[in-house]
Amino acid sequence: MEPDTFHSLLRLRKKSYRVTLYRRHLSWMEELGSSQRGAGQSFRMPVTEIVCVELGKRDALDQEPQAPTVENQFTGGRRPKELLVFINPFGGRGQAVRIYSRVSPLFQLAGIRTKVIETTRANHARDHILTEDLQGVDGLVCVGGDGMFSELMHGLIGRTQREAMVSEDEEDTVLQPTRIRIGIIPAGSTDCICFATVGINDPVTSALHIIIGDSQPLDVCAVHHRSKLVKYSASLTGYGFYGDVLLESDRHRWMGPFRYNYAGFKTVLSNRSYEGTIEFQTTENIDSNPRDNSRCRTGCLVCSESSGRLKEDADEAEAIQAEQRQIQNSNWHSVEGSFVGINLTGISSACPKSPDGLSPTAHLADGTADLILVKKCSMFQFLRHLTRHTNQKDQFDLPFVEVHRVKALRFTPRSLESNVEQDMARKKSFFGRLCGAQPTQSCWNCDGEALPHVDISVRVHCQLVNLFARGIEGARRASLFRY
């Protein structure tokens, strides 16, 4: 027998299992009686993924005194001991409180202390994180949708920069990565961040990732307007189509969730395009591009290489300054024209309606985002592009679509006069008259919120935040969570 191997017998629900602990893995196999043939079911899992162990009662025939039931929590390492939980009772499907009641017993079972705050207004969670004492807090958890996650992210990034005396308004500043991890218990309408980092919007699965202390770094885009920080984005920053859909849906909130379908249908019919100039800086990594068919999965090599470079740069101030100069001066390109959509996504932006997302091969933590330019085209051509988001065909394999892997961008709209002329011409068309008056410019849809400015600059900050997740796993490994 190996010196680091231990064996035991487990009796559970009138069945017996032979349990083996070998190094960092626990395995167990059902023992079959003499009348049964073949081998029983066997299971194997890493010790790091055990939530807790409870000592059960002794066999009823055993005459020795019974030991009391004791819960043994697996502590240490990256596992959190204290969580600050924010619940948005009204967001998404309005089921956040009920959803949290399903997973809170798991935190208790694992010996994790929780402080729960139900938010009562917009930016309640963000303001709490910015101003209150977080001493002893190992993780922040949001129970809600992508909007709730955005609040936690903004509060945590802002607090981290303030404590490090880093100006968020300086576009070329290297922001300090956050220390506290963020967990997401999905209870929203789309849950894009959860889909991209876990692969499913299941509350129990997300709770288990938090309990065992998984850690997944995530890139964040900083959006600026004239040397002033406007907002951070973790998923989509879109101009044109997605901006119009956001504005239209906000005007029809009385419709409930159906307003998104209505707004999308109406925006497709209007077939608007917007003139402007987009400047972008491409990545230096020629081996990585949005069409290389390399999906970002658990243990992604592309993201791991970026982690290694970050650690090296953190030890060398000159390397950070060199990176700043490089961002300002190299690999810049410019495209001028009329666009139906300009979409920048740091993740795949997958959701139930679009399983592969806007950019299926986008990476979570490589310091880049995918820029998708949809140039002026007919309504039916654009509808063809949208349809490919749902049928797994290459949505970039169209003559009016460009895609680039970028680190930064700048957008300048055309003058209002030229947009007015374009708008007057469109009103003469049948669908233009049907859809009614339209604004002369679109807006930027930044993670579901409309930005107040059109001319913006964006920079990707590599691995700025960390989540309680491990990326999307394959089918075999994901099955470990089906306890």
Side-chain angles (χ1 to χ4, degrees):
M1 180 187 298
E2 296 281 348
D4 51 359
T5 302
F6 302 91
H7 294 279
S8 181
L9 184 66
L10 171 67
R11 294 187 179 91
L12 180 64
R13 295 178 181 176
K14 300 182 179 181
K15 292 184 179 181
S16 296
Y17 298 87
R18 178 64 60 180
V19 182
T20 302
L21 177 62
Y22 176 63
R23 293 182 179 175
R24 299 184 64 84
H25 284 82
L26 184 72
S27 60
W28 60 98
M29 177 181 292
E30 181 182 355
E31 288 194 333
L32 300 179
S34 58
S35 60
Q36 297 174 294
R37 296 183 178 181
Q41 284 187 311
S42 62
F43 307 86
R44 185 172 183 266
M45 70 183 306
V47 173
T48 54
E49 295 184 358
I50 298 176
V51 174
C52 76
V53 171
E54 182 177 281
L55 300 180
K57 296 179 180 180
R58 295 176 180 270
D59 192 294
L61 299 179
D62 195 339
Q63 299 300 318
E64 295 181 10
Q66 295 185 359
T69 300
V70 180
E71 289 186 355
N72 294 273
Q73 287 82 28
F74 283 68
T75 59
R78 298 285 291 168
R79 296 198 175 204
K81 297 179 181 178
E82 185 168 335
L83 298 173
L84 181 57
V85 181
F86 295 93
I87 301 178
N88 179 6
F90 306 107
R93 300 183 296 269
Q95 300 292 318
V97 175
R98 182 187 61 83
I99 289 174
Y100 182 69
S101 68
R102 289 175 50 199
V103 301
S104 59
L106 292 175
F107 294 135
Q108 297 174 8
L109 190 65
I112 298 176
R113 299 184 298 274
T114 58
K115 178 182 178 181
V116 179
I117 297 175
E118 286 194 25
T119 59
T120 57
R121 55 178 174 82
N123 294 321
H124 183 172
R126 184 201 66 180
D127 295 343
H128 184 96
I129 295 168
L130 282 171
T131 58
E132 299 300 323
D133 183 17
L134 301 182
Q135 186 69 30
V137 175
D138 300 312
L140 306 174
V141 176
C142 64
V143 186
D146 294 327
M148 191 65 174
F149 167 78
S150 181
E151 278 200 38
L152 269 65
M153 179 181 70
H154 277 80
L156 191 56
I157 295 176
R159 183 182 182 117
T160 302
Q161 308 320 307
R162 185 186 65 195
E163 292 177 348
M165 293 185 292
V166 173
S167 173
E168 297 177 272
D169 291 328
E170 295 182 15
E171 298 182 28
D172 299 327
T173 297
V174 177
L175 299 179
Q176 293 297 308
T178 59
R179 176 184 59 83
I180 301 176
R181 284 169 290 175
I182 300 176
I184 306 173
I185 304 297
S189 302
T190 55
D191 301 315
C192 284
I193 304 296
C194 197
F195 264 100
T197 56
V198 178
I200 188 174
N201 63 339
D202 175 59
V204 173
T205 300
S206 294
L208 291 173
H209 279 293
I210 295 170
I211 290 169
I212 65 178
D214 278 330
S215 185
Q216 171 63 56
L218 187 68
D219 297 337
V220 176
C221 294
V223 182
H224 286 81
H225 169 72
R226 299 179 183 177
S227 300
K228 183 73 175 178
L229 176 70
V230 180
K231 192 174 174 61
Y232 292 111
S233 171
S235 55
L236 171 67
T237 304
Y239 182 81
F241 175 76
Y242 287 108
D244 290 351
V245 170
L246 176 63
L247 292 177
E248 188 67 34
S249 64
D250 280 346
R251 285 193 287 264
H252 295 83
R253 285 186 171 273
W254 57 271
M255 289 185 175
F258 179 72
R259 69 182 186 272
Y260 298 111
N261 294 330
Y262 170 80
F265 177 72
K266 186 175 179 180
T267 305
V268 168
L269 288 181
S270 67
N271 190 35
R272 289 183 57 83
S273 58
Y274 301 91
E275 295 187 355
T277 301
I278 185 80
E279 302 170 87
F280 54 92
Q281 182 197 29
T282 56
T283 178
E284 302 85 9
N285 186 359
I286 61 175
D287 295 327
S288 177
N289 67 79
R291 302 188 67 182
D292 59 13
N293 204 30
S294 175
R295 303 295 177 98
C296 187
R297 295 292 184 261
T298 301
C300 174
L301 294 178
V302 174
C303 297
S304 297
E305 291 175 358
S306 297
S307 298
R309 289 195 298 270
L310 280 179
K311 292 178 181 178
E312 294 175 0
D313 291 349
D315 297 331
E316 301 179 14
E318 293 182 1
I320 297 178
Q321 296 174 0
E323 181 187 10
Q324 292 176 343
R325 292 191 294 270
Q326 187 179 41
I327 286 177
Q328 293 175 351
N329 302 319
S330 66
N331 295 339
W332 280 95
H333 308 269
S334 178
V335 177
E336 183 178 0
S338 185
F339 304 96
V340 179
I342 301 173
N343 303 316
L344 183 74
T345 178
I347 60 177
S348 65
S349 290
C351 65
K353 293 183 178 180
S354 178
D356 285 337
L358 296 181
S359 188
T361 66
H363 287 272
L364 297 175
D366 67 339
T368 70
D370 289 354
L371 173 64
I372 306 164
L373 303 177
V374 184
K375 298 179 180 179
K376 184 178 181 180
C377 58
S378 70
M379 179 188 70
F380 297 104
Q381 287 175 318
F382 183 63
L383 192 59
R384 182 185 178 194
H385 168 66
L386 289 181
T387 303
R388 290 193 174 189
H389 289 79
T390 63
N391 59 17
Q392 296 185 329
K393 290 185 179 180
D394 186 356
Q395 60 260 49
F396 306 138
D397 189 21
L398 296 166
F400 53 90
V401 179
E402 287 185 22
V403 60
H404 307 273
R405 186 147 287 168
V406 305
K407 300 176 69 174
L409 68 81
R410 296 187 290 260
F411 177 71
T412 305
R414 285 287 296 273
S415 64
L416 289 177
E417 289 78 10
S418 62
N419 280 330
V420 169
E421 294 176 1
Q422 185 184 43
D423 198 56
M424 291 297 294
R426 182 171 290 104
K427 287 180 180 178
K428 296 179 181 179
S429 68
F430 172 75
F431 288 119
R433 295 191 302 271
L434 181 66
C435 295
Q438 299 282 348
T440 55
Q441 289 185 337
S442 182
C443 78
W444 285 95
N445 180 339
C446 186
D447 288 1
E449 292 188 19
L451 298 185
H453 311 288
V454 176
D455 52 323
I456 64 170
S457 60
V458 184
R459 180 186 167 188
V460 184
H461 290 269
C462 188
Q463 302 185 11
L464 190 59
V465 298
N466 275 275
L467 275 60
F468 286 105
R470 64 170 61 157
I472 298 177
E473 301 177 287
R476 287 182 59 191
R477 189 160 178 80
S479 64
L480 291 176
F481 285 107
R482 297 171 185 168
Y483 297 138

